[in-house]
Amino acid sequence: MSTAPPAQIILSTSRSFGLVAIACGTQYSRARRALDETGFQQIPGGASASPLTDGLTARQTASTLVHRAHEHGVTLTTSTRPYLGDIGHQIAAQLPGAWSSHPEIYSHPAWQEDLVPLLWDRGDLIHSVEHQRVPYATVLRNDTGTHLLLIERPGHSSEYVVGAFGPDGFDDNYEQAHAPRSVVLPAATDLAARAIHETFLPAYHRAVHHRRLDTVLSALEHIREEHLAWRAIKESGRSSDGMPLTGSRLLPELDGAFAEHAGLAFRNVLEHAPALLSRCRPALTPWPQDAAALDRLRAALTQIQETTAPDRALSSIPPPTTTGELAPGRSGVSALPVIETWLADSEAFERQARAAAPGGPVALAAPSPRALTARPAPPTMPGSSTKNR
């Protein structure tokens, strides 16, 4: 990370707050002390400000700050840009939908490092946060849960960079394969808002779609491998070490172990599949016959939702215990018909979900997604004949 003074005050101007000061550096407390002694007041987001009501007051404030900074060994830096909190507010106001902006200060360099695992990016944003000093930023949020980070582009006098935080429901955002690429924004806030709306957000939503799909398909593939091994052992009548299963206690234990393992992996399907299904429009694809399969998949998910409290739909599949062992319970076994339905119709799901990617021909022709609420007649859940379907 690039070096910076141990105690620094960065000054910028704001139409709302006047003279804005940001204390930063490994010894940022000295910078804050200088600001407090000068009469600066803290504003939302962690910066400090002094009103510029008239020229005489402004000159007196500047003179006092210079002396206090010198006394405390603080470096004063004047930014060529307006206060970033104002820029974020102006951009948010010009984005379609309900957006808000929230300034953040990373006074100590270590605070900036906390951003790295949270960002979902493979462009200038993550590179800047990892290798350049970024003492402040603005978070842009909308009412659908999208969180963006806006920073001043390091090494440039007027440009900005915007990228995304990882979406809800995922971990391990760092160097994630589907991560969108942050974009450079111009200084004009109307052009910056247009670039976010027309360039960055469409790429972001495509990336979320593909990440969801990859997560669901990986979970189903893992379950399928476990399912095949489970079926093979049951049909052979012997466990993996050759011990007969008939008349022993191993058979119910085998069933329970598969149910719990499969249930844990199926949590990713419960988390991410509904959003993917809501975008699917089989009638607009070359495979309209997939509609019946998608109805079965929706019904299977609804079955879990209706048999569990709405806020506990995911917790119906139990997590591991604190000792690392799988928690015993009936929920994994009860979810088996749902899991087997998803295994049987996974090919149609993948085909339709890929066709429904944002920006594709189906997405462009489709109406707004419908909620996963309508429940068709439940299908006959597959049992021992699943492998033949």
Side-chain angles (χ1 to χ4, degrees), residues 321-340:
T321 65
T322 54
T323 62
E325 298 178 354
L326 289 169
R330 61 186 180 279
S331 54
V333 175
S334 65
L336 275 179
V338 173
I339 292 173
E340 291 189 323

Side-chain angles (χ1 to χ4, degrees), residues 266-267 270 299-319 330-336 338 375:
F266 198 70
R267 290 169 67 90
L270 291 172
L301 292 184
T302 304
Q303 179 181 342
I304 288 184
Q305 295 168 347
E306 290 187 349
T307 55
T308 314
D311 59 342
R312 297 184 59 198
L314 290 180
S315 62
S316 64
I317 305 296
R330 61 186 180 279
S331 54
V333 175
S334 65
L336 275 179
V338 173
R375 182 185 183 186

Side-chain angles (χ1 to χ4, degrees), residues 1 106 109-122 125-132 134 149 164-166 171-176 179:
M1 186 178 294
Y106 316 117
W111 302 356
Q112 174 184 333
E113 296 172 5
D114 294 339
L115 290 170
V116 173
L118 304 177
L119 293 176
W120 188 42
D121 181 62
R122 55 187 178 92
L125 179 64
I126 189 67
H127 183 271
S128 297
V129 171
E130 286 188 296
H131 302 292
Q132 304 289 327
V134 180
L149 189 72
F165 287 97
D171 297 315
D172 302 323
N173 298 304
Y174 188 71
E175 292 186 341
Q176 204 275 329

Side-chain angles (χ1 to χ4, degrees), residues 124-166:
D124 288 349
L125 179 64
I126 189 67
H127 183 271
S128 297
V129 171
E130 286 188 296
H131 302 292
Q132 304 289 327
R133 185 67 177 103
V134 180
Y136 48 86
T138 289
V139 177
L140 303 175
R141 300 174 183 167
N142 74 356
D143 55 353
T144 64
T146 301
H147 291 186
L148 309 181
L149 189 72
L150 175 72
I151 66 170
E152 296 175 350
R153 189 181 186 190
H156 295 260
S157 61
S158 61
E159 293 177 328
Y160 300 89
V161 177
V162 71
F165 287 97

Side-chain angles (χ1 to χ4, degrees), residues 192-234:
R194 180 181 298 178
I196 293 174
H197 175 61
E198 297 181 357
T199 301
F200 181 76
L201 287 177
Y204 168 81
H205 291 306
R206 283 194 297 272
V208 172
H209 182 91
H210 290 300
R211 187 176 185 183
R212 288 189 187 279
L213 179 56
D214 189 52
T215 300
V216 171
L217 294 180
S218 294
L220 291 175
E221 181 61 26
H222 174 75
I223 295 171
R224 190 182 306 280
E225 292 174 359
E226 296 276 349
H227 187 264
L228 291 174
W230 174 55
R231 288 294 185 192
I233 291 174
K234 292 191 69 172

